[in-house]
Amino acid sequence: MKPESKAIRIQTPRTEEKEHSTPLYMTSSFVFDNAEDMRAAFADEVDVNIYSRFVNPNVTEFEEKLCALEGTEACFATASGMSAITASFLTFLKSGDHLLACRSIFGSTHTVITKYLPKWGIEYSYADLSKPEEWQSLIRPNTKMIFVETPTNPGLDIIDLEWLGQFARKNNVLLNVDNCFATPALQQPALYGADLITHSATKFIDGQGRVMGGAVLGKKDLIKEVYLFCRSTGPSLSPFNAWVLSKSLETLFIRMERHSSNALKLAGLLEHHPKIAQVKYPFLLSHPQYEIARKQMSAGGGVITFEIKGGIEAGRKFLDAIKMCSLTANLGDTRTTVTHPASTTHAKLSEEERLAVGITPGLVRVSVGLEHITDIVADIEQALEKV
Ligand SMILES: *Cc1c(COP(=O)(O)O)cnc(C)c1O
């Protein structure tokens, strides 16, 4: 079956009720018929449900679908994207190791890397996604892992995954890719040799702004380690959220198609708007890594950024004038969401720190939703008029 079909047809075996849609297994534990069955389960001699912190049928269904889409052998689902990323670090990095990450990166990931990893003796450095020629000089003898987002949040920078896969293999380090923005519907990092793929399922995978979730994917032996770490430390995904997310995957491909076509239309229109200095979108010719985006992504994704002329004040005025779109931190929703990082999510950073991660004063991030494109364009354009 094609991935689109697998996302729909992979299913937990039916119960005697012969239900069509998978029921919700809202149970914290599972029962055994006798002492021997229970012993064998706890000895890992058989692959059965024991306790929902370890495994649950709804979670397993979600994991199997996501594996099929990413083209990986195994998956462990977690309670959020941040727990997936943190588990991927803590499973494979130990005191004395070094992590090389991309500088433009999700805010909480930046906090984990710069505040918590050093507390446990793990070193880090940041590299610029747009300057791969500098990466070799940043590799140290103790470098164990490379972590990147592509496209990045919110900078929308892109790195050549084919080049990066070879670079990681040559330097014998684990390559960990946060595939949140593209989703497996548009980009599969495993094709280029990514060892670990991390996800915030909260974003496009749920796609409807309802539940938190995350996942770590990769080869069986690596994900077994992640599973053992999480089985003991407990950042597991709840059965309810897994049930929601598994249903969400059934529509991921058609949603990503529409998010991407709406985003491309909006980006194209805004590119020539007199109040806008610059628009960034992976599938716009003007994107600095346009060729790479075309090579490794089947569409540009749902997020665009633009720079309003007039800096911070203009950005705030723009948000105030928005009528239909939602002012909210979430992205990857059916509803178009708009943020102004300099006055909100990144307001605590100095201007210099913001600029280092590509957040200019008038930068606006739009996660283009599934409303009719005419309504999205109308709202953005009327708000720009008021700036
Ligand atoms: C939101 C996000 C995360 C964190 O996911 P949560 O589900 O909010 O914990 C990680 N990476 C990227 C790129 C994100 O956008």
Side-chain angles (χ1 to χ4, degrees), residues 177-195:
V177 179
D178 179 339
N179 201 26
C180 171
F181 264 39
T183 82
L186 307 185
Q187 167 178 283
Q188 294 168 299
L191 287 178
Y192 308 100
D195 301 290

Side-chain angles (χ1 to χ4, degrees), residues 278-350:
Q278 201 199 355
V279 180
K280 204 160 172 191
Y281 182 68
F283 268 37
L284 275 189
L285 258 169
S286 56
H287 190 288
Q289 291 111 20
Y290 170 78
E291 294 296 333
I292 302 170
R294 292 297 301 228
K295 187 175 79 167
Q296 66 197 25
M297 297 172 75
S298 58
V303 182
I304 74 170
T305 63
F306 53 84
E307 175 71 18
I308 300 196
K309 292 178 186 166
I312 294 229
E313 255 328 289
R316 289 174 49 105
K317 270 195 196 149
F318 173 76
L319 285 202
D320 275 340
I322 284 287
K323 286 185 179 149
M324 179 191 78
C325 302
S326 313
L327 311 189
T328 173
N330 195 35
L331 61 91
D333 198 310
T334 50
R335 301 166 175 200
T336 300
T337 68
V338 184
T339 55
H340 176 231
S343 70
T344 57
T345 48
H346 294 70
K348 288 200 190 83
L349 303 185
S350 69

Side-chain angles (χ1 to χ4, degrees), residues 118-276:
K119 193 166 143 182
W120 299 310
I122 299 160
E123 301 166 13
Y124 72 90
S125 28
Y126 279 139
D128 202 329
L129 275 195
S130 60
K131 294 180 186 144
E133 66 281 3
E134 291 176 1
W135 282 52
Q136 192 61 55
S137 66
L138 295 166
I139 293 282
R140 303 178 189 172
N142 58 343
T143 306
K144 281 282 161 60
M145 183 186 283
I146 292 174
F147 179 83
V148 296
E149 293 172 12
T150 181
T152 62
N153 181 9
L156 297 178
D157 295 323
I158 285 169
I159 193 156
D160 186 339
L161 285 170
E162 188 179 6
W163 173 85
L164 189 60
Q166 288 164 4
F167 179 80
R169 262 194 305 285
K170 189 179 86 185
N171 288 285
N172 200 22
V173 295
L174 288 172
L175 175 58
N176 188 348
V177 179
D178 179 339
N179 201 26
C180 171
F181 264 39
T183 82
L186 307 185
Q187 167 178 283
Q188 294 168 299
L191 287 178
Y192 308 100
D195 301 290
L196 297 165
I197 294 143
T198 39
H199 270 291
S200 167
T202 318
K203 310 291 170 57
F204 290 102
I205 288 182
D206 171 32
Q208 287 143 90
R210 302 166 297 182
V211 299
M212 309 284 304
V216 188
L217 298 106
K219 289 213 169 71
K220 262 198 188 119
D221 54 336
L222 294 179
I223 299 307
K224 178 84 190 283
E225 295 301 316
V226 175
Y227 161 72
L228 291 173
F229 176 82
C230 292
R231 171 177 163 149
S232 293
T233 56
S236 321
L237 183 63
S238 85
F240 179 76
N241 286 10
W243 179 79
V244 171
L245 291 169
S246 179
K247 271 283 165 205
S248 303
L249 284 179
E250 297 184 13
T251 55
L252 181 68
F253 282 83
I254 57 163
R255 284 187 287 108
M256 290 313 290
E257 266 176 37
R258 180 61 69 87
H259 279 298
S260 302
S261 65
N262 274 355
L264 183 61
K265 282 180 199 153
L266 180 65
L269 280 174
L270 295 181
E271 221 179 3
H272 308 292
H273 197 285
K275 297 224 169 130
I276 289 180

